[in-house]
Amino acid sequence: MGRTNENENRSKISITTENKEEALRLFKGLSAGGQIEVPMEESSLGACFGMFRDQYGIEWIVNFDPNDKG
């Protein structure tokens, strides 16, 4: 079936938090020892988003959007 890249994980775990502080805390804690792919950044509208691969190779997305009423 061809070559397999052991570093490529097709699944991502996505977390949407209730507040910005929780998003920043989770991002910092879970990304420790891993590789940050998209730094956690805040938009002008108050939302924040970041992506990383943790120390075990699992990919994560952390998101907070104050307009998300979900």
Side-chain angles (χ1 to χ4, degrees):
M1 299 296 270
R3 292 184 173 203
T4 302
N5 181 348
E6 296 299 327
N7 292 322
E8 185 61 35
N9 182 346
R10 298 286 178 195
S11 299
K12 291 182 177 22
I13 298 173
S14 179
I15 300 174
T16 300
T17 64
E18 294 184 7
N19 58 61
K20 179 175 53 175
E21 293 76 20
E22 182 181 21
L24 295 171
R25 181 181 59 80
L26 287 171
F27 186 89
K28 181 178 179 182
L30 292 169
S31 67
Q35 178 181 4
I36 295 176
E37 296 175 2
V38 177
M40 192 67 144
E41 294 183 0
E42 188 174 346
S43 75
S44 61
L45 300 175
C48 55
F49 172 87
M51 291 175 52
F52 62 92
R53 183 184 305 264
D54 71 15
Q55 61 185 335
Y56 304 106
I58 298 170
E59 295 183 50
W60 296 79
I61 299 170
V62 179
N63 181 57
F64 165 68
D65 184 349
N67 300 312
D68 183 11
K69 305 300 181 203

